[in-house]
Amino acid sequence: GLSAKKRHIIAIPADAKILFDILTKIDLGTVFDKDRFRIISAEEILSYFDFYRFKSFYFVIHPVMERLFPDKIRDIIKKTGAILQKPLLEINTRRKFGIVWLNNFIKNISLFFENNYDFTALVIEKKIICITGAGPSLIQNINKIKKQRKKIFLAAADTSLKILYQYDIVPDAVFSFDAGHYSLYHFTGIKENFRTFTDFTTPLKMKRQTVLF
């Protein structure tokens, strides 16, 4: 049950008076370990939730309290969820991808010291810089880009690369940051006639590649 030794329980009361009445009549210490059971307010949750130990959380609501204080219960759930959601998402992401990023970083650092990257200065003279992404406006303006191609420096996000090539448009530079293994898809079947800029955690290895911190 909830009092099992491996459980960590954080209680957020909907009504302080009822909680006080309960605690004056019942010794919770006979059921719960004081180090694994905490009674706090929703605002204090960050001080007690161990993000590196627990991957998720869920609410256990007593049915009587839910009937007596439906609005307060909803407010506690909403407030607590909002406080925990963002840091938990960030830490779970690092937990899931951290090893992959570290391995890619070590590989890219090795290539860096072996002079496998292109660090020549990027010179853009008397040209307007046009940056493309993969949004609907790219297709809407594709003919304008094609018509003005020689007059602009075309910097493309990797997600827009295949669309540009479908219209025989080759960018001057491609940027691929926060890349995952799926990023390789954007370059599949593409002849590398451009310079690629990536970060040090990328799994990509291109011919004319510049890595940036």
Side-chain angles (χ1 to χ4, degrees):
L2 289 178
S3 60
K5 291 183 178 180
K6 293 184 179 180
R7 299 280 188 182
H8 283 249
I9 301 168
I10 297 175
I12 303 176
D15 187 277
K17 184 179 183 304
I18 290 179
L19 175 64
F20 178 79
D21 292 340
I22 292 174
L23 294 179
T24 55
K25 297 175 182 178
I26 301 175
D27 182 9
L28 295 181
T30 61
V31 183
F32 297 104
D33 182 334
K34 63 183 180 65
D35 294 324
R36 297 177 183 273
F37 182 76
R38 303 281 185 177
I39 300 174
I40 64 171
S41 66
E43 291 78 12
E44 295 176 297
I45 189 68
L46 285 178
S47 300
Y48 294 96
F49 191 89
D50 189 342
F51 291 97
Y52 291 96
R53 186 170 184 179
F54 304 108
K55 297 181 180 179
S56 61
F57 62 92
Y58 62 93
F59 296 95
V60 178
I61 305 169
H62 194 286
V64 175
M65 299 298 286
E66 190 172 19
R67 288 196 297 271
L68 290 175
F69 306 101
D71 294 335
K72 287 186 177 180
I73 295 293
R74 281 194 296 269
D75 183 60
I76 288 173
I77 292 174
K78 182 178 179 181
K79 186 178 296 183
T80 307
I83 293 172
L84 292 178
Q85 187 175 21
K86 185 176 180 180
L88 194 59
L89 176 62
E90 292 177 353
I91 291 169
N92 281 341
T93 300
R94 291 201 298 268
R95 184 184 286 121
K96 181 177 181 180
F97 296 106
I99 297 298
V100 175
W101 291 337
L102 178 60
N103 289 337
N104 288 339
F105 182 82
I106 293 172
K107 178 200 69 175
N108 291 327
I109 283 290
S110 299
L111 293 172
F112 171 78
F113 285 108
E114 293 170 7
N115 296 317
N116 280 282
Y117 293 116
D118 180 0
F119 287 104
T120 57
L122 181 64
V123 179
I124 304 172
E125 294 184 353
K126 298 180 181 180
K127 283 188 175 183
I128 296 174
I129 300 174
C130 176
I131 302 173
T132 61
S137 61
L138 177 58
I139 297 296
Q140 295 167 5
N141 293 281
I142 200 73
N143 289 328
K144 294 179 182 178
I145 294 172
K146 195 168 185 177
K147 184 177 180 180
Q148 302 295 326
R149 179 64 191 92
K150 293 182 179 180
K151 299 178 182 179
I152 61 176
F153 181 91
L154 186 58
D158 57 1
T159 52
S160 66
L161 188 56
K162 281 187 176 293
I163 298 173
L164 293 173
Y165 265 73
Q166 287 177 7
Y167 290 88
D168 297 319
I169 300 173
V170 180
D172 295 295
V174 175
F175 293 83
S176 183
F177 296 129
D178 195 21
H181 291 295
Y182 58 86
S183 298
L184 294 169
Y185 164 77
H186 302 309
F187 297 88
T188 302
I190 301 293
K191 292 183 179 180
E192 296 177 40
N193 296 320
F194 46 79
R195 188 166 171 184
T196 308
F197 291 85
T198 65
D199 57 45
F200 263 100
T201 61
T202 183
L204 301 174
K205 182 62 185 81
M206 315 300 287
K207 292 178 181 178
R208 297 172 57 203
Q209 184 172 353
T210 303
V211 288
L212 306 173
F213 286 100

